[in-house]
């Protein structure tokens, strides 16, 4: 992504706040800041943190000092989310009554859609290290959000959960920004074929000169019988057709074929042989 | 998801190994195990870890002791990936020459497709805490994989990166397991990679015999200067690394290399020349 796109993504993500309720370990706050900053989020709200401030926060949030300065400390969850339009409560297990529940990915998509298309403010609320959010706190949320995990092992800790949620928020934001602007000069792309390559890929037309060349070379060295080529030409087409050669590779391979042909018909001779003959002397 | 689905997801993910190269901090190994276990992965390979074993690993991997017992320790990256079909190297920045690059999500989709539909073994390789993977290590990968991040802040640490990759692997596995039980989703075949192949794909170990062979052949015909190979070996690795040769193609190409070598050293001679000499008579 270009710097401009990155700034747009960060601008959108500034409307998605992370709320941590009654956090005990300063290290988890530091890790949250680092995860947020890496993914482009910037608003952290701490509801009655057990230990704050603390040097572990600054140590783990190295390089995210601008986010530390922006941290808001409030006394209640209600205060943390009062200006939000859409509140997600993170929940690992089902509660007393069923609640609208989304996995992290659709929750992030819904959040960014709300930010970009409806100018909304979003909160994702994370609970205590030992027992998460209370039923009362979860009831303040519009949706519950869950991260799909191995059901034989239990749940992510809060730092890991924040990491995954922030990652999904960034992916959703990039998706939306990618749709807003034409992403021509991209660093991060999703498909090999679309990536910035150092050489242009060859055309179908060039490949139609490539196949006769490799077949002729293989016929020259009697690896292919032109009278009975069997499946070999087809296999070569399938093999090289699935690479999409770039121009450099194309010329490299055709150069090798030509060298083999020249070796075969005697128009090119090894210099090495002379050296080898000299060596014993 | 039901327990049955969870077991199926874990079974698929047992073919995706996490490889950590020269890890310094035991805490990162512990965090990796925890992230893996939470997402259903089970195979961790440590390449020459700096500190192992260490109580911090067990402390952070609480509840993942079965994974600790399964850890493999090897001396070289080659050993860690020799039986793999598809190797991803994690990379935060661009290198000497561009390499096929995938974001975490499509990389995970490609990996699970390879596991489920083609019975392949996958490795995701993570580098040192301070300087990642070397260019030589990255050149052993079929693809490089990157996690989209805020370009103003830099990169995830190795534990966070493993968390995100494992999460995407689980999401991709769940997607595929979901499709397995949905008969409507199985009829569309749009990608080469999705089709039933007639030959098994070769392993990384086999390819490590392929590259020396093509390089020796090219040196024999003086197309490559072993004293000054420049970027040629890297370009060959990038080219053939992105095809994933099948067994037939592999033997076909190695057969061609051997023929060229035999032609070059005189141990094989054309029969055609005799025919040509006969023709004028």
């Amino acid at each position: 992504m270009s710097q401009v796109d990155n700034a747009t993504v960060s601008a959108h993500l500034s409307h998605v706040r992370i709320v941590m309720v009654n956090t005990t370990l300063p290290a988890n706050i530091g890790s949250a800041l680092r995860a947020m900053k890496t993914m482009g989020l910037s608003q952290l709200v701490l509801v009655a943190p057990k230990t704050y401030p603390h040097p572990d926060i600054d140590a783990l949030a190295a390089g995210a000092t601008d986010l530390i300065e922006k941290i808001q400390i409030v006394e209640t969850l209600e205060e943390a989310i009062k200006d939000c339009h859409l509140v997600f409560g993170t929940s690992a297990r089902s509660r007393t009554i069923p609640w609208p529940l989304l996995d992290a990915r659709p929750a992030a998509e819904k959040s960014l859609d709300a930010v970009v298309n409806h100018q909304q403010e979003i909160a994702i609320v994370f609970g205590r290290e030992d027992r998460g959010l209370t039923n009362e706190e979860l009831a303040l949320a519009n949706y519950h959000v869950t991260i799909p995990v191995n059901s034989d092992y239990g749940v992510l800790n809060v730092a890991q959960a924040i990491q995954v949620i922030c990652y999904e928020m960034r992916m959703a934001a990039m998706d939306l920004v990618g749709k807003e602007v034409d992403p021509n000069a991209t660093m991060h792309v999703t498909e090999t074929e679309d990536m910035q390559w150092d050489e242009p890929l060859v055309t179908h037309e060039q490949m139609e000169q490539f196949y006769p060349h490799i077949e002729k070379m293989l016929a020259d060295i009697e690896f292919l019988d032109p009278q009975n080529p069997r499946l070999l030409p087809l296999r070569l087409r399938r093999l090289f057709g699935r690479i999409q050669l770039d121009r450099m590779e194309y010329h490299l391979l055709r150069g090798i074929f030509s060298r083999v042909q020249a070796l075969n018909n005697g128009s090119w001779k090894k210099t090495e042989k002379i050296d080898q003959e000299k060596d014993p002397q």
Side-chain angles (χ1 to χ4, degrees), chain A:
Chain A
M1 297 189 83
S2 72
Q3 288 294 323
V4 174
D5 287 345
N6 193 55
T8 309
V9 166
S10 295
H12 291 326
L13 291 171
S14 71
H15 298 283
V16 179
R17 76 188 64 174
I18 299 296
V19 179
M20 297 176 78
V21 177
N22 283 179
T23 310
T24 300
L25 294 175
N28 283 333
I29 297 173
S31 295
L33 287 166
R34 191 185 162 92
M36 290 171 61
K37 177 90 180 181
T38 314
M39 294 301 163
L41 286 82
S42 49
Q43 307 291 334
L44 178 63
V45 184
L46 302 176
V47 177
K50 302 281 188 187
T51 317
Y52 185 87
H54 190 280
D56 282 2
I57 298 175
D58 304 76
L60 269 154
T65 42
D66 54 328
L67 268 63
I68 296 180
E69 287 158 17
K70 279 193 197 170
I71 289 178
Q72 290 181 60
I73 314 284
V74 295
E75 276 311 302
T76 63
L77 178 55
E78 286 84 347
E79 208 178 330
I81 60 178
K82 64 182 177 189
D83 59 333
C84 288
H85 305 85
L86 189 53
V87 176
F88 291 89
T90 53
S91 173
R93 52 195 189 280
S94 52
R95 303 286 173 157
T96 327
I97 62 165
W99 211 260
L101 178 69
L102 289 174
D103 278 353
R105 186 162 302 169
E109 289 162 357
K110 188 173 187 65
S111 298
L112 269 295
D113 173 66
V115 168
V116 174
N117 298 319
H118 307 287
Q119 292 72 52
Q120 296 191 0
E121 292 290 322
I122 317 297
I124 319 290
V125 185
F126 294 84
R128 297 151 195 85
E129 285 95 339
D130 53 348
R131 54 198 179 87
L133 295 168
T134 64
N135 285 337
E136 292 69 30
E137 288 161 347
L138 279 165
L140 296 176
N142 302 94
Y143 290 86
H144 294 170
V145 57
T146 187
I147 296 169
V149 295
N150 174 7
S151 56
D152 295 333
Y153 184 57
V155 300
L156 295 168
N157 64 36
V158 67
Q160 292 173 314
I162 291 176
Q163 176 68 63
V164 170
I165 294 284
C166 289
Y167 167 72
E168 284 287 10
M169 290 293 166
R170 180 172 193 80
M171 294 298 285
M174 286 174 63
D175 255 13
L176 280 177
V177 170
K179 281 171 192 160
E180 280 173 14
V181 298
D182 188 13
N184 270 329
T186 54
M187 288 288 287
H188 292 290
V189 289
T190 50
E191 291 295 324
T192 322
E193 290 76 15
D194 295 341
M195 67 167 294
Q196 280 218 328
W197 205 249
D198 51 350
E199 292 283 333
L201 301 184
V202 299
T203 62
H204 180 81
E205 191 173 22
Q206 288 173 297
M207 286 309 283
E208 289 310 310
Q209 295 165 22
F210 178 91
Y211 295 117
H213 193 179
I214 189 170
E215 287 174 27
K216 179 67 172 63
M217 180 272 286
L218 292 176
D220 286 355
I221 63 170
E222 295 175 27
F223 203 88
L224 177 149
D225 178 0
Q227 306 308 315
N228 181 25
R230 299 189 302 170
L231 285 175
L232 190 51
L234 203 62
R235 290 201 179 276
L236 292 170
R237 275 186 178 267
R238 187 175 75 168
L239 195 168
F240 289 101
R242 89 176 178 274
I243 324 183
Q244 284 201 285
L245 293 174
D246 70 35
R247 190 174 53 187
M248 175 85 85
E249 293 166 340
Y250 175 84
H251 290 297
L252 175 67
L253 290 172
R254 291 202 59 181
I256 295 171
F257 304 159
S258 296
R259 172 64 57 89
V260 171
Q261 290 180 302
L263 170 69
N264 187 59
N265 69 22
S267 66
W268 178 85
K269 292 206 188 302
K270 287 190 61 140
T271 54
E272 202 185 19
K273 276 179 184 165
I274 301 163
D275 294 336
Q276 282 174 343
E277 283 165 8
K278 278 182 188 166
D279 280 341
Q281 297 175 347

